[in-house]
Amino acid sequence: MRAIALVLLPATLLLLRAVPPSATARWLPFPTSCGAFTGLPCIFCGTTRALHFLLNGNWRSALYFNWLSFPLVAGAAMLFLTLLLELLLDRNLLSRLPKFRLTRLSFAGTLTALLLLWVLQVYLAVSRHKTELLNPKGPLYSLVVR
């Protein structure tokens, strides 16, 4: 499984780098994002475009579309290196990580973190007038933008 992941992870990043996001609309199973329905962007709205720009070296555009692409690529690189070390050393390094236990407190903390990320994403989209991530016809748009 590690070897498969070591092949699929870079292949996915290379595909994201090579294929322009405007071309993906033709083969995606859903034509619009959640932002098109609600009027406001979700946490990951613009991530495909941001990853494409980041992997092509256009940091400013990547930051414009979704700043979460930076930690996402860093996490993918760390996972790749960890899996490579596991394969080379024949050890399970990921098993040494602390286990996540779902409790009421951890569940509430996770939901709070996701809500705060969403609020930040909406704030950045509205304050920077990111019209490609906003839908003025959506029901939540009129509640936030005046």
Side-chain angles (χ1 to χ4, degrees):
M1 290 304 283
R2 290 182 193 119
I4 293 171
L6 284 172
V7 171
L8 288 179
L9 190 60
T12 303
L13 292 177
L14 286 172
L15 184 66
L16 277 170
R17 183 179 189 268
V19 177
S22 58
T24 60
R26 291 190 301 269
W27 51 270
L28 282 176
F30 42 88
T32 57
S33 68
C34 62
F37 294 119
T38 64
L40 301 175
C42 67
I43 295 172
F44 295 109
C45 279
T47 303
T48 304
R49 288 174 278 191
L51 286 172
H52 174 74
F53 287 122
L54 180 61
L55 295 171
N56 282 300
N58 190 344
W59 294 16
R60 181 175 290 199
S61 293
L63 188 61
Y64 173 79
F65 281 108
N66 196 330
W67 63 274
L68 288 173
S69 61
F70 289 90
L72 192 62
V73 168
M78 286 181 10
L79 179 64
F80 181 82
L81 290 174
T82 303
L83 291 174
L84 186 63
L85 281 173
E86 283 185 349
L87 204 60
L88 292 175
L89 300 175
D90 196 28
R91 297 182 112 172
N92 192 353
L93 301 174
L94 290 176
S95 68
R96 296 182 183 178
L97 292 175
K99 303 290 185 238
F100 178 76
R101 295 182 185 215
L102 187 61
T103 63
R104 286 184 181 180
L105 185 61
S106 65
F107 183 71
T110 302
L111 283 181
T112 303
L114 289 173
L115 178 66
L116 290 174
L117 279 174
W118 178 69
V119 168
L120 178 63
Q121 184 75 344
V122 169
Y123 170 74
L124 290 172
V126 171
S127 67
R128 303 286 182 217
H129 307 291
K130 297 179 182 181
T131 56
E132 59 280 337
L133 298 179
L134 298 169
N135 178 14
K137 297 177 184 172
L140 295 178
Y141 182 84
S142 61
L143 295 174
V144 175
V145 181
R146 294 179 192 229

